[in-house]
């Protein structure tokens, strides 16, 4: 006869299993976790949260990529206003974790055409990069990359769109970390 503790464990296990079944039924992205990292018809989300774009998206021509460039500059940043309190909160977070784990700030570059627009129309975004670099210096946290694709050796061919660099670009960003660094499981 099972003990009260065993019964409680059985109920917990049943609830956990029920939760995951419910999650899988409702969450379409769960069904797109890839069995491998190759591009397929549908986009996928890796277990680490990174994305594998679908074939139609990664096969776009440079002309097709350029058609959407104009909207990339303000995508999710159209209402951006500098907030010193949030910057200070982030710096306190870095300060808290820097002795507990190995921290690294990675600045992902923008497509060259978007970066050129940024220089002309939204120079405050460039100040964000400078703020992160200075914050890293103050906190002793390494900062790699740049919003400027030329600074890390990325060209227009290294981007899926205005904001999302291909693995080829991110390898260039991370190369200064050394040969042991891997990006999405790739050497």
């Amino acid at each position: 006869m099972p003990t009260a503790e065993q019964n409680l464990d059985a109920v917990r296990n049943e609830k956990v299993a029920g939760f995951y079944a419910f999650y899988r039924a409702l969450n379409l992205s769960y069904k797109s976790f890839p069995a491998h990292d190759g591009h397929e018809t549908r986009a996928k989300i890796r277990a680490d949260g990174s994305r594998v774009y679908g074939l139609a998206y990664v096969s776009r021509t440079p002309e097709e990529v350029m058609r959407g460039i104009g909207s990339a500059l303000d995508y999710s940043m159209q209402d951006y206003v500098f907030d010193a309190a949030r910057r200070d909160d982030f710096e306190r977070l870095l300060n808290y974790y820097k002795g507990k784990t190995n921290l690294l700030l990675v600045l992902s570059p923008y497509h060259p055409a978007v970066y050129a627009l940024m220089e002309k129309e939204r120079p405050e975004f460039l100040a964000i990069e400078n703020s992160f670099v200075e914050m890293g210096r103050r906190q002793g946290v390494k900062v790699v990359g740049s919003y400027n694709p030329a600074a890390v050796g990325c060209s227009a061919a290294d981007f899926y769109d205005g904001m999302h660099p291909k693995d080829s670009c991110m390898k260039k960003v991370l190369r200064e970390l050394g040969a042991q660094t891997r990006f999405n499981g790739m050497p």
Side-chain angles (χ1 to χ4, degrees):
M1 179 176 272
T3 66
E5 189 173 313
Q6 289 170 327
N7 283 337
L8 185 58
D9 284 342
V11 169
R12 283 186 190 133
N13 290 339
E14 187 176 313
K15 285 185 177 185
V16 168
F19 169 77
Y20 282 112
F22 179 72
Y23 175 79
R24 285 190 296 272
L26 292 180
N27 190 340
L28 297 176
S29 66
Y30 178 86
K31 294 175 183 158
S32 63
F33 272 27
H36 59 81
D37 276 344
H39 296 287
E40 296 176 352
T41 304
R42 287 185 56 193
K44 302 175 280 189
I45 300 174
R46 294 182 179 107
D48 68 0
S50 60
R51 297 187 177 270
V52 178
Y53 294 103
L55 284 173
Y57 198 74
V58 301
S59 301
R60 296 184 315 155
T61 66
E63 293 77 22
E64 290 171 317
V65 170
M66 286 302 293
R67 281 188 212 125
I69 289 296
S71 63
L73 180 60
D74 282 331
Y75 178 78
S76 79
M77 295 279 286
Q78 66 270 16
D79 297 326
Y80 170 78
V81 177
F82 174 76
D83 186 330
R86 286 187 180 188
R87 182 213 45 223
D88 294 345
D89 287 344
F90 185 70
E91 188 157 3
R92 279 192 293 277
L93 184 70
L94 289 179
N95 187 50
Y96 176 80
Y97 279 107
K98 72 180 179 183
K100 296 171 176 44
T101 189
N102 188 16
L103 293 178
L104 173 69
L105 293 179
V106 178
L107 301 175
S108 179
Y110 286 87
H111 185 285
V114 172
Y115 188 78
L117 284 172
M118 189 183 298
E119 288 179 306
K120 292 177 189 167
E121 298 177 19
R122 297 298 299 264
E124 64 270 28
F125 292 174
L126 304 178
I128 297 169
E129 177 175 347
N130 294 335
S131 177
F132 282 128
V133 170
E134 180 58 27
M135 188 182 303
R137 188 193 59 72
R138 281 193 307 271
Q139 294 298 325
V141 174
K142 187 167 184 68
V143 179
V144 298
S146 173
Y147 296 159
N148 181 352
V152 294
C154 296
S155 69
D158 288 315
F159 290 84
Y160 292 116
D161 56 33
M163 300 173 297
H164 298 102
K166 295 179 180 178
D167 291 348
S168 59
C169 180
M170 290 310 296
K171 284 180 184 180
K172 294 171 187 174
V173 169
L174 299 176
R175 72 177 158 216
E176 70 182 87
L177 297 177
Q180 71 274 37
T181 301
R182 296 170 66 85
F183 179 67
N184 284 336
M186 298 183 315

